[in-house]
């Protein structure tokens, strides 16, 4: 199974750090955020990774190279102007192939065991969900007996972690342009094609300087 790390965002809420450094290369505990993902993927048995980028993307390529020092083969999907999550994934499909692939948001920090997702996918998508953080109390989707459904459905409403396994067929009918992933997921949920799980381990959406400081505190405490 291949993996894709989404790394094209500008990181507006993390200025001034992201004025001259792409968010995936912002350091926590002296290590760029994206490097935590690469180390974890390598340890989990992944060997091929695709990374998309836009804002200051040349710095990401210069720092990570072809991935040899992580035991990985890294390929890049350069966007120029960010295509949002759906558009970025669609553009990268030729690099990802015809089989289901793992997707990880580049701006999260987590100890999720990625090896657990190297299994056959039932349906078009499988999403890892977490308890709603303080900055997103309303959650995203409802999880009920291992299936995900749109807001207003049965089950507990949880937050999408930014970790998933997607089947390329999810993007059937899409065209090369900027578009969001959520409408595709909602359509697949309506057809009963999206499974989910609840993760109770460490997970932080590193979208602000305050949450970056939270990661630093956990690392200093030996998390």
């Amino acid at each position: 199974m291949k993996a894709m790390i989404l790394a094209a965002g500008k990181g507006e809420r993390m200025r001034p750090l992201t004025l001259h450094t792409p968010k995936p290369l912002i350091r926590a505990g002296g290590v760029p955020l994206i490097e935590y993902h690469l180390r974890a993927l390598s340890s989990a048995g992944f060997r091929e990774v695709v990374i998309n980028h836009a804002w200051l993307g040349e710095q990401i390529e210069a720092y990570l190279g072809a991935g040899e020092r992580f035991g990985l083969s890294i390929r890049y999907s350069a966007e120029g102007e960010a295509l949002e999550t759906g558009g970025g994934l669609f553009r990268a499909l030729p690099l990802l192939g015809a089989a289901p692939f793992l997707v990880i948001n580049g701006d999260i920090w987590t100890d999720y065991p990625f090896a657990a997702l190297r299994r056959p996918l039932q349906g078009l998508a499988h999403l890892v969900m977490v308890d709603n953080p303080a900055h997103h109390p309303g959650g995203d989707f409802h999880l009920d007996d291992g299936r995900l459904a749109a807001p207003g459905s049965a089950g507990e409403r949880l937050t999408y972690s930014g970790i998933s396994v997607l089947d390329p067929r999810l993007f059937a009918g899409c065209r090369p342009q900027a578009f969001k992933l959520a409408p595709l997921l909602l359509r697949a949920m309506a057809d009963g094609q999206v499974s989910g799980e609840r993760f109770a381990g460490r997970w932080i959406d590193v979208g602000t300087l305050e949450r970056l400081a939270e990661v630093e505190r956990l690392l200093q405490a030996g998390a």
Side-chain angles (χ1 to χ4, degrees), residues 57-72:
E58 67 281 357
Q59 292 187 32
I60 296 175
E61 293 200 26
Y63 179 78
L64 299 177
E68 298 98 329
R69 72 178 186 274
F70 305 106
L72 299 168

Side-chain angles (χ1 to χ4, degrees), residues 30-212:
V31 177
L33 289 169
I34 199 169
E35 191 167 327
Y36 288 104
H37 289 335
L38 294 172
R39 291 178 181 179
L41 288 169
S42 183
S43 296
F46 289 84
R47 292 295 173 260
E48 296 181 77
V49 177
V50 175
I51 300 173
N52 72 332
H53 62 70
W55 175 248
L56 302 176
E58 67 281 357
Q59 292 187 32
I60 296 175
E61 293 200 26
Y63 179 78
L64 299 177
E68 298 98 329
R69 72 178 186 274
F70 305 106
L72 299 168
S73 171
I74 299 177
R75 300 178 73 183
Y76 298 94
S77 179
E79 295 179 9
E81 290 295 325
L83 296 172
E84 301 194 70
T85 302
L89 286 165
F90 181 73
R91 183 187 182 100
L93 288 181
L95 300 176
L96 292 164
F101 53 90
L102 172 65
V103 179
I104 310 169
N105 286 1
D107 56 359
I108 62 171
W109 182 85
T110 183
D111 61 358
Y112 182 86
F114 295 129
L117 295 175
R118 297 182 65 204
R119 61 179 186 264
L121 175 64
Q122 304 299 318
L124 294 177
H126 177 83
L127 276 57
V128 177
M129 309 297 290
V130 295
D131 291 342
N132 300 327
H135 64 272
H136 191 58
D140 295 308
F141 308 120
H142 287 269
L143 180 64
D144 184 27
D145 195 26
R147 308 304 299 181
L148 284 170
S153 307
E156 187 173 5
R157 189 164 173 177
L158 300 171
T159 291
Y160 171 47
S161 69
I163 303 168
S164 62
V165 175
L166 304 180
D167 190 304
R169 293 177 299 159
L170 181 69
F171 298 87
C174 294
R175 297 190 298 174
Q177 59 187 348
F179 62 89
K180 297 182 182 299
L181 179 63
L184 303 185
L185 293 173
L186 289 169
R187 183 179 65 191
M189 287 177 195
D191 293 334
Q193 292 294 305
V194 183
S195 59
E197 65 181 89
R198 184 178 194 162
F199 175 59
R202 291 186 174 88
W203 175 88
I204 296 175
D205 175 5
V206 193
T208 65
L209 296 175
E210 291 75 18
R211 283 178 242 148
L212 178 63

